[in-house]
Amino acid sequence: FSIVAVFTIEYFVRFFVDVSKWKFVRSPLNIIDVLAIVPTWVTFAFQMESIIGTTKVLRILRILRVFKLTRHSEGLIVLLRTARACQNELSLLLFCLA
């Protein structure tokens, strides 16, 4: 939870410092940041275990945090490109596992 709080603070600091707010919000990496942060806050706010399916989906969306790190790591950029290249095979795998 503390890591998500740090990410949230970092996101808002970058938002308030940026000159063009609209451009900042529409940036793909910032959209990924929001999609990575929001599920944790929603899960924290509701704390309902009766919505197990929804919380599982929200937890899966947390993997988007990894994409945020691609700005700083060449290895993660290669991993992301590989995942895109294998998108059909990965989709089939996830379909079979679900």
Side-chain angles (χ1 to χ4, degrees), residues 56-71:
K56 282 184 182 180
V57 169
L58 294 175
R59 289 179 184 159
I60 290 171
L61 285 175
R62 290 181 189 170
I63 195 70
L64 294 175
R65 287 186 199 140
V66 173
F67 296 127
K68 179 180 178 176
L69 298 174
T70 59
R71 297 181 203 160

Side-chain angles (χ1 to χ4, degrees), residues 50-96:
S50 63
I51 315 174
I52 294 173
T54 305
T55 57
K56 282 184 182 180
V57 169
L58 294 175
R59 289 179 184 159
I60 290 171
L61 285 175
R62 290 181 189 170
I63 195 70
L64 294 175
R65 287 186 199 140
V66 173
F67 296 127
K68 179 180 178 176
L69 298 174
T70 59
R71 297 181 203 160
H72 310 291
S73 172
E74 190 65 35
L76 287 175
I77 292 172
V78 171
L79 179 65
L80 183 60
R81 288 180 185 158
T82 305
R84 273 194 203 142
C86 301
Q87 185 175 1
N88 292 336
E89 291 81 3
L90 291 173
S91 298
L92 182 61
L93 176 66
L94 291 174
F95 178 75
C96 291

